[in-house]
Amino acid sequence: MLFQIFDAFKSRLHDSNSKVNQVALETMHKMIPLLKDSLSPVINMLIPAIVDNNLNSKNPGIYAAATNVIQALCQHLDTSVLLQPFCTKAQFLSGKAKQDLTEKLA
């Protein structure tokens, strides 16, 4: 069930409409403290959806929302669950996104 919900939700994190994209990120930020480690099974699906485009966004609202989501993940999930997806994404990112994710890894 969790996979079905987040599979549908992740497309909103990539939405071409910036307002939809930003609201999806803000909603994700609110869900993380509630769901905590129960997000572990879907984290490999969510990290790319959260990071791709959003951390390099020129839209300050989207960038801030994506940064807040990453921060919430680090605060509320077991960091060992985040290590591999963060490392994988950091290898292939560029610009500010690479810097932000590398700082989180450090």
Side-chain angles (χ1 to χ4, degrees):
M1 181 70 160
L2 195 64
F3 280 101
Q4 293 169 328
I5 292 167
F6 281 99
D7 193 41
F9 185 74
K10 79 175 181 175
S11 61
R12 299 294 62 92
L13 294 168
H14 285 293
D15 204 283
S16 59
N17 182 325
S18 61
K19 290 179 183 177
V20 171
N21 190 350
Q22 185 172 341
V23 169
L25 287 165
E26 291 167 353
T27 302
M28 186 75 221
H29 181 252
K30 292 175 186 173
M31 289 190 301
I32 292 167
L34 301 172
L35 297 174
K36 297 182 181 175
D37 286 322
S38 62
L39 287 172
S40 296
V42 294
I43 205 69
N44 287 327
M45 171 193 336
L46 287 177
I47 296 291
I50 294 163
V51 172
D52 293 349
N53 304 323
N54 297 324
L55 275 183
N56 272 332
S57 178
K58 296 198 185 326
N59 180 319
I62 290 175
Y63 174 76
T67 306
N68 289 339
V69 169
I70 297 297
Q71 183 63 36
L73 287 170
C74 293
Q75 286 178 335
H76 296 286
L77 269 75
D78 182 355
T79 52
S80 65
V81 172
L82 299 173
L83 185 61
Q84 186 60 48
F86 277 9
C87 285
T88 302
K89 284 312 301 176
Q91 289 176 348
F92 301 105
L93 290 172
S94 62
K96 187 141 179 66
K98 185 175 191 112
Q99 179 183 346
D100 289 346
L101 215 50
T102 303
E103 286 175 9
K104 286 295 176 199
L105 282 166

